[in-house]
Amino acid sequence: MPESTYPAPVLSVAPVVLPAPDRAVDLHVRVSAPVAGNDLPIILLSHGQGYSNHLSSLNGYAPLAGFWAAHGFVVIQPTHLSSRTLSLDPGTPGAPLFWRSRAEDMSRILDRLDEIEAAVPQLAGRLDHGRVAVAGHSMGGHTASLLLGARLTDPDDGTEANLAEPRIKAGVLLAAPGRGGDAIVESVAQNLPFLLTTDFSTMTTPALVVAGDKDDSAHLTVRGADWHADPYHLAPGPKSLLTLFGAEHGLGGVAGYDVAETTDENPGRVAVVQRLTWAYLRTELYPGDPAWRAACDALTASRVESK
């Protein structure tokens, strides 16, 4: 599937509803795909928890989902239980961020790809079930890290949570949370204790970590922007780290077009994220594909390192 000169037309269908009697509500997903092509690889995209009402749902992250789909991927976006669009009772088990359910949503999607294809007739027989990646921004990056092999201690019962998904072959972590312990501010330790025990030493699946060098996240960590590079430094290889100079938590605006919560609105920066994440996943899922090397060679105002 070589990249064409122009982006391909994209079809996007939502909501595709997967009945889930064991979940607080049924799982709703958006599916975006190029209109043409077969044996299409899959990206599962996990939303973050920003201030907007609808970005934390299947309706967010159009700059990423649209680009990836226009360049040969099928992108599946769930509305996690943490979404503001659902307004679930704060007493719902797992609230407020539903860290475990978020990861389980992605495994549920992979279990039911045939249902998704049946619900979107234009996709029938066109998906490559063997080439799957996960991507996530902010809290979605935490979700992706668990699927890639990171672990934590469940604060409710003290057991180790292992939600690694072997069907996922590569990942992208965008402004993801770093380590816990003394790196976390006290309010987060009290209210979101699952973030205290994140262990990246078991995150063995190949991944690209994307971090902004101005993403201080003072409401979460005392370590400043370096905290978001922890998934690279504390996980075993193979990993790559893309550091975006001047980028804050929005990484230029990946969560949506012209959204108010993007404090570093920069279309050029978003274009870098689009191109580098696409290229990384192309090369990881298709070994020998030159996309990643070419994208790195063309990079300016950013830095890539690998191990």
Side-chain angles (χ1 to χ4, degrees):
M1 294 189 325
E3 183 192 9
S4 61
T5 304
Y6 300 103
V10 170
L11 64 88
S12 186
V13 179
V16 175
V17 181
L18 300 178
D22 58 337
R23 198 173 178 268
V25 297
D26 289 338
L27 178 57
H28 289 214
V29 305
R30 175 181 295 278
V31 182
S32 301
V35 168
N38 293 304
D39 297 322
L40 300 173
I42 299 164
I43 299 176
L44 308 178
L45 176 54
S46 180
H47 63 70
Q49 290 301 129
Y51 301 113
S52 299
N53 289 321
H54 294 278
L55 297 181
S56 62
S57 76
L58 56 75
N59 291 316
Y61 294 86
L64 295 180
F67 183 91
W68 293 336
H71 292 82
F73 283 90
V74 173
V75 184
I76 304 177
Q77 300 173 251
T79 295
H80 296 302
L81 292 180
S82 58
S83 175
R84 286 173 177 259
T85 63
L86 298 179
S87 300
L88 294 181
D89 188 304
T92 304
L97 292 186
F98 298 92
W99 61 267
R100 183 184 292 272
S101 172
R102 282 170 145 268
E104 291 172 344
D105 285 345
M106 300 312 209
S107 292
R108 190 188 302 263
I109 288 169
L110 294 180
D111 290 341
R112 301 171 72 175
L113 286 176
D114 288 342
E115 289 181 47
I116 292 173
E117 288 191 49
V120 185
Q122 299 93 328
L123 283 183
R126 298 177 58 209
L127 274 60
D128 185 341
H129 294 204
R131 286 190 168 96
V132 179
V134 66
H137 175 241
S138 193
M139 183 60 194
H142 182 270
T143 301
S145 72
L146 293 178
L147 292 161
L148 296 170
R151 300 184 186 180
L152 58 79
T153 300
D154 189 326
D156 292 330
D157 60 18
T159 61
E160 182 181 62
N162 178 5
L163 295 165
E165 177 50 76
R167 290 171 290 186
I168 292 174
K169 307 305 182 185
V172 173
L173 309 183
L174 300 154
R179 69 175 179 86
D182 60 6
I184 301 294
V185 300
E186 183 60 29
S187 60
V188 170
Q190 292 177 356
N191 298 315
L192 304 173
F194 68 90
L195 287 175
L196 277 170
T197 56
T198 304
D199 178 7
F200 295 108
S201 69
T202 54
M203 195 176 79
T204 57
T205 307
L208 171 64
V209 177
V210 182
D213 70 351
K214 302 300 182 185
D215 184 6
D216 293 337
S217 298
H219 62 299
L220 297 174
T221 182
V222 299
R223 290 192 53 237
D226 290 345
W227 186 61
H228 294 288
D230 281 352
Y232 172 76
H233 293 296
L234 301 180
K239 298 290 183 294
S240 292
L241 172 65
L242 169 62
T243 303
L244 299 170
F245 302 146
E248 299 176 14
H249 198 62
L251 304 179
V254 297
Y257 293 111
D258 300 321
V259 298
E261 67 193 54
T262 298
T263 57
D264 65 332
E265 184 78 26
N266 187 316
R269 185 172 297 141
V270 172
V272 170
V273 176
Q274 291 171 329
R275 175 65 53 177
L276 267 290
T277 54
W278 170 84
Y280 177 83
L281 293 178
R282 277 289 312 178
T283 297
E284 282 298 325
L285 295 179
Y286 298 88
D289 189 297
W292 174 240
R293 184 71 270 154
C296 290
D297 288 346
L299 194 61
T300 60
S302 304
R303 180 179 66 243
V304 169
E305 54 193 284
S306 299
K307 64 179 185 181

